[in-house]
Amino acid sequence: MAFYGKNDRWWRALLTGDNPILPFRGFRHLFGLLPSNPRCKFCHAPFAGFGKPLMRVIGKSPSRLSPQLCLQCESFARNIPGGAEIELTMLFADVRGSTTLAETMRPFEYSQLINQFYVCATEILVRTHGWIDRLVGDQVIGLFIPGFSGPEHARLAVQAGLELLEAMQTTDETRPGLPVGAGVHTALAFVGAVGTAGGATDITVLGDAANTAARLSSAAAAGELLVSENTFIQLGVGAGGIETRRLDLKGKAEPVGVYVFSANDLEKVSELRT
């Protein structure tokens, strides 16, 4: 694929929302005249209204990563090798005791239960403007990238984590509760397309920051959201009444400080404006 300009600069423009070169870029104004939201942040293709059928014909249905990105723009990005280092916030969440749980259920029943976790997490990530990076095994990974989540990406990630904990605590006749723990971390990381040229590629996050977020999630008990100090600083909320811990995480030379949240803290975080 012919591409003009350095790939890292293109990726930085995408991840910061700075209008990179993408398919149908010249039609952005025209697409913007068609109703209605939600729409692709970059080409302005609408995903609803009377323009929706036409957009689907030309490959502009919503991408799996974010409702702010169309499938065509995502596919274009996947074919540009490389990425950029940006500050973002990462949310990792997984089901506690899933192996034991699977042993007590038929495979189909277990898959239905885990799928409810996926569906709930996806709805929350979409609503809070996170990228859906992974739905695998018993884990969900969401990326809150400045170009899509805005400057409040840290708050939105914490809000998403707490909403997920709250939803998984809620039980009814159709959905039993699930023990979920989660971790949120804000730091510099690499985001971009990885894989083989001309073969399978994926858009993901790499680096020590992602490892830290994953370790925080693993260290969280059921019903807990562990928020790193980097993230907490960006929340702009006082630490009074919030439990703190120093954790020895695998692969980290020094203990990591975290703030411990539960679903009961959701209202406090949701009302924040950084």
Side-chain angles (χ1 to χ4, degrees):
M1 176 184 60
F3 178 73
Y4 302 97
K6 292 185 178 180
N7 291 1
D8 58 345
R9 288 193 297 192
W10 185 90
W11 271 101
R12 185 170 299 280
L14 177 75
L15 298 172
T16 59
D18 193 23
N19 193 23
I21 297 172
L22 284 164
F24 288 93
R25 184 182 185 184
F27 290 84
R28 291 176 75 246
H29 177 70
L30 178 60
F31 289 161
L33 297 177
L34 297 173
S36 62
N37 294 327
R39 61 179 68 244
C40 179
K41 183 181 180 69
F42 295 98
C43 69
H44 292 177
F47 301 140
F50 65 79
K52 175 181 175 179
L54 173 61
M55 295 300 102
R56 287 188 177 274
V57 168
I58 62 176
K60 288 194 169 294
S61 55
S63 83
R64 69 167 185 84
L65 288 172
S66 168
Q68 299 181 72
L69 189 67
C70 75
L71 186 59
Q72 189 177 73
C73 288
E74 177 195 340
S75 297
F76 186 85
R78 286 179 181 276
N79 287 297
I80 297 179
E85 290 185 357
I86 61 164
E87 183 180 76
L88 75 159
T89 303
M90 295 150 284
L91 166 65
F92 282 63
D94 56 73
V95 178
R96 295 292 174 265
S98 59
T99 301
T100 301
L101 185 63
E103 289 178 343
T104 65
M105 307 176 70
R106 294 178 61 85
F108 178 75
E109 294 173 334
Y110 177 73
S111 71
Q112 292 292 98
L113 189 64
I114 293 298
N115 189 60
Q116 291 175 3
F117 172 55
Y118 289 166
V119 170
C120 185
T122 297
E123 291 175 350
I124 290 170
L125 288 173
V126 166
R127 186 168 62 250
T128 53
H129 307 297
W131 271 23
I132 304 165
D133 183 53
R134 288 286 190 280
L135 299 174
V136 58
D138 62 357
Q139 186 180 67
V140 168
I141 302 174
L143 306 181
F144 291 79
I145 295 168
F148 292 81
S149 306
E152 295 189 352
H153 53 87
R155 178 186 64 83
L156 288 170
V158 173
Q159 179 180 332
L162 293 178
E163 286 189 14
L164 183 57
L165 294 185
E166 182 180 60
M168 290 297 99
Q169 288 178 355
T170 303
T171 60
D172 56 37
E173 295 178 354
T174 62
R175 187 183 69 189
L178 280 174
V180 172
V184 172
H185 181 47
T186 303
L188 189 71
F190 174 91
V191 180
V194 297
T196 59
T201 59
D202 195 12
I203 298 175
T204 191
V205 59
L206 299 172
D208 179 66
N211 295 334
T212 298
R215 298 283 188 261
L216 292 180
S217 175
S218 297
E224 286 185 345
L225 175 68
L226 300 186
V227 175
S228 73
E229 291 178 330
N230 287 0
T231 301
F232 187 83
I233 290 171
Q234 296 198 28
L235 295 182
V237 62
I242 300 177
E243 180 186 350
T244 60
R245 296 177 190 163
R246 301 291 293 178
L247 302 177
D248 292 316
L249 301 180
K250 182 179 179 181
K252 307 296 291 185
E254 300 292 335
V256 174
V258 298
Y259 292 81
V260 185
F261 287 78
S262 70
N264 295 331
D265 298 310
L266 176 57
E267 184 175 350
K268 179 192 300 182
V269 173
S270 299
E271 293 176 351
L272 287 176
R273 292 296 182 270
T274 58

